[in-house]
Each structure stands twice: as C-alpha cells, then as structure tokens.
Amino acid sequence: MEAIWLYQFRLIVIGDSTVGKSCLIRRFTEGRFAQVSDPTVGVDFFSRLVEIEPGKRIKLQIWDTAGQERFRSITRAYYRNSVGGLLLFDITNRRSFQNVHDWLEEARSHVQPHSIVFLLVGHKCDLEAQRQVTRQEAEKLAGAYGMRYIETSARDAINVEHAFTELTREIFALVRSGDITIQEGWEGVKSGFVPNVVHSSEEVTKSDRRCLC
Ligand code: GDP
Ligand code: MG
C-alpha cells in the first residue's frame, strides 16, 4: 500500500522578532496572510504535506518560536530535535541581516551532536522600495555558510511554497543518501505512515549525520 507520507521532517523557523516568521508559516500552512498574535510562552507547531515528486509526500512539522526570540530563551530541545530550519531576516531591516550570524551560532551551540540543514530566507520581498539588504550580499553570505538563499513574501505569497519545498528536497536527498538517518530518541526525521501496514524503517542506523549547521 502506498505511504501517505514517506517521512516526517521537523523544521524550525528562526530569526529576529518581527522578521515575519509566524506569517510565513501561516501562509504556508493555512494559505493566507494574517496578523498573528503570539502566545507568551511555549512553541506552536503547524504541519503540512509536501509533494516533492509525483506520489512522494513528506509531512512537515513546523515549529514556531512563539515570541521567545525576544528573550533569547529558545530551548536546546527546540534545536536538537529539528532536521531543517529556515533562517529568516527582513530585507527592509539591516539589523536582522546582521544578526543572521548570531542565530547560526546559537543554533550550532545548541544542536550538537546533531546538525540542521538551513535555508537563508530574505523575507518581506514585496517591500522592494524599503530594501536595506541587496540580493547579492545575502547570496554571498548564504554561500559562505553553504546554504541556499531565497526571497519570500507572506503578504504577496511569493516563493513561500518554493522555500519550504526546496528545503524539504535538500533534506530528502540527504536522507536518501544516508547522510541523515532516523535515530531513536530524535524527532528530526521519522519514517512514513503506511495505513494498516507495520513496517520496520524505524530501525536505528548508526551513521554520522553530515554537519551542515
Ligand atoms: P515574527 O515575530 O518573526 O513571527 O513576525 P510576524 O510574522 O509576527 O510578522 C511581523 C510583522 O511583519 C507583522 O506586522 C506582519 O504583518 C509583517 N509581515 C510578515 N510577513 C510580511 C510580508 O511578507 N510582507 C510584509 N510587507 N509584511 C510582512
Ligand atoms: Mg512570531
């Protein structure tokens, strides 16, 4: 029987407060642009299926930092149980671009011994007239970290699908090649859901995950 989804990937979305993380997640999971009110504590999670190839679906479980970024109190568990991440800055806010490095360092220090596949996202690209970060310099920074760079707008629905799908494809390729493996006690990647069939792909395989973070 065909799997409803092959794998579940858990993703995080990080970056300075107000760069648009919650709006981007809502646009992707709910298909609309809405003002988001963050809960004061905890994390919110959202999920959606993505078809990366015909008939091949991945379930994304996307975690939002729910306001904690203002206090830099994001927990270690939030990072270490994720396989992928969108690292956002706001193209109209230079400071949020300068903070990309700090976010990456923060993720790196928390995620050991695992690693996270990141995509650098320049958000609010609908506000071209207020742009403070050029595409070229963002691409250069992403290149230096070995990441891809994509510009998105939740307001105008630009590249939102593309950003999540590209990251999902990148992770899927690493799972396929064995660079990322399912591990017991780790939430980053889970094997697929096949109705009425017990299958054994949850086996723990010992192989180092490539350090991409
Ligand atoms: P977060 O703190 O990173 O989760 O940011 P929010 O998602 O709460 O968004 C912060 C502000 O940016 C809100 O006023 C949103 O309406 C606005 N915003 C979010 N995404 C976009 C976008 O793509 N374009 C524009 N112009 N504004 C956006
Ligand atoms: Mg938010």
Side-chain angles (χ1 to χ4, degrees), residues 25-32 34 46 48:
I25 296 170
R26 293 292 177 94
R27 168 61 83 182
F28 180 64
T29 57
E30 294 169 8
R32 65 195 175 99
F46 302 84
R48 213 196 100 173

Short mmCIF file of all heavy atoms in Angstrom, two decimals, residues 25-32 34 46 48:
data_model
loop_
_atom_site.label_atom_id
_atom_site.label_comp_id
_atom_site.label_asym_id
_atom_site.label_seq_id
_atom_site.Cartn_x
_atom_site.Cartn_y
_atom_site.Cartn_z
N ILE A 25 4.95 31.02 8.15
CA ILE A 25 4.45 29.68 8.47
C ILE A 25 2.94 29.60 8.21
O ILE A 25 2.44 28.63 7.63
CB ILE A 25 4.76 29.32 9.95
CG1 ILE A 25 6.26 29.24 10.19
CG2 ILE A 25 4.08 28.01 10.34
CD1 ILE A 25 6.67 29.14 11.66
N ARG A 26 2.22 30.64 8.61
CA ARG A 26 0.76 30.64 8.39
C ARG A 26 0.42 30.67 6.90
O ARG A 26 -0.53 30.02 6.46
CB ARG A 26 0.11 31.85 9.07
CG ARG A 26 0.18 31.82 10.57
CD ARG A 26 -0.69 30.69 11.13
NE ARG A 26 -0.56 30.63 12.56
CZ ARG A 26 -1.39 31.24 13.43
NH1 ARG A 26 -2.40 31.95 12.99
NH2 ARG A 26 -1.20 31.13 14.72
N ARG A 27 1.17 31.42 6.14
CA ARG A 27 0.91 31.46 4.70
C ARG A 27 1.10 30.07 4.11
O ARG A 27 0.30 29.60 3.30
CB ARG A 27 1.86 32.48 4.03
CG ARG A 27 1.90 32.41 2.54
CD ARG A 27 0.57 32.68 1.87
NE ARG A 27 0.27 34.09 1.72
CZ ARG A 27 -0.87 34.56 1.19
NH1 ARG A 27 -1.80 33.72 0.78
NH2 ARG A 27 -1.09 35.85 1.08
N PHE A 28 2.15 29.39 4.56
CA PHE A 28 2.44 28.07 4.02
C PHE A 28 1.43 27.02 4.47
O PHE A 28 1.00 26.18 3.70
CB PHE A 28 3.86 27.65 4.43
CG PHE A 28 4.26 26.30 3.92
CD1 PHE A 28 4.38 26.08 2.55
CD2 PHE A 28 4.49 25.25 4.79
CE1 PHE A 28 4.74 24.82 2.07
CE2 PHE A 28 4.84 24.00 4.32
CZ PHE A 28 4.96 23.78 2.96
N THR A 29 1.04 27.07 5.74
CA THR A 29 0.18 26.00 6.26
C THR A 29 -1.31 26.31 6.13
O THR A 29 -2.13 25.41 6.07
CB THR A 29 0.50 25.69 7.75
OG1 THR A 29 0.36 26.89 8.51
CG2 THR A 29 1.90 25.14 7.90
N GLU A 30 -1.66 27.60 6.08
CA GLU A 30 -3.09 27.96 6.04
C GLU A 30 -3.47 28.69 4.76
O GLU A 30 -4.64 28.98 4.53
CB GLU A 30 -3.45 28.82 7.26
CG GLU A 30 -3.32 28.05 8.57
CD GLU A 30 -3.41 28.96 9.81
OE1 GLU A 30 -3.72 30.16 9.66
OE2 GLU A 30 -3.15 28.45 10.90
N GLY A 31 -2.45 29.06 3.97
CA GLY A 31 -2.72 29.70 2.68
C GLY A 31 -3.26 31.11 2.78
O GLY A 31 -3.92 31.60 1.88
N ARG A 32 -2.99 31.77 3.89
CA ARG A 32 -3.48 33.15 3.99
C ARG A 32 -2.48 34.01 4.75
O ARG A 32 -1.62 33.50 5.47
CB ARG A 32 -4.84 33.19 4.68
CG ARG A 32 -4.78 32.74 6.12
CD ARG A 32 -6.16 32.43 6.68
NE ARG A 32 -6.03 31.90 8.02
CZ ARG A 32 -6.19 32.61 9.12
NH1 ARG A 32 -6.51 33.88 9.05
NH2 ARG A 32 -6.04 32.07 10.30
N ALA A 34 -2.21 36.56 7.62
CA ALA A 34 -3.00 37.02 8.77
C ALA A 34 -2.07 37.60 9.81
O ALA A 34 -0.96 37.12 9.99
CB ALA A 34 -3.77 35.85 9.35
N PHE A 46 2.85 23.56 13.50
CA PHE A 46 1.95 23.51 12.35
C PHE A 46 2.42 22.35 11.48
O PHE A 46 3.59 22.01 11.51
CB PHE A 46 2.04 24.81 11.54
CG PHE A 46 1.71 26.02 12.36
CD1 PHE A 46 2.68 26.64 13.14
CD2 PHE A 46 0.42 26.53 12.36
CE1 PHE A 46 2.37 27.75 13.91
CE2 PHE A 46 0.11 27.65 13.13
CZ PHE A 46 1.08 28.26 13.90
N ARG A 48 2.05 20.30 7.46
CA ARG A 48 1.53 20.26 6.09
C ARG A 48 2.26 19.21 5.30
O ARG A 48 3.45 18.97 5.53
CB ARG A 48 1.74 21.62 5.42
CG ARG A 48 0.63 21.96 4.43
CD ARG A 48 1.01 23.07 3.49
NE ARG A 48 1.43 22.57 2.20
CZ ARG A 48 1.68 23.35 1.16
NH1 ARG A 48 1.58 24.65 1.26
NH2 ARG A 48 2.05 22.81 0.01
#
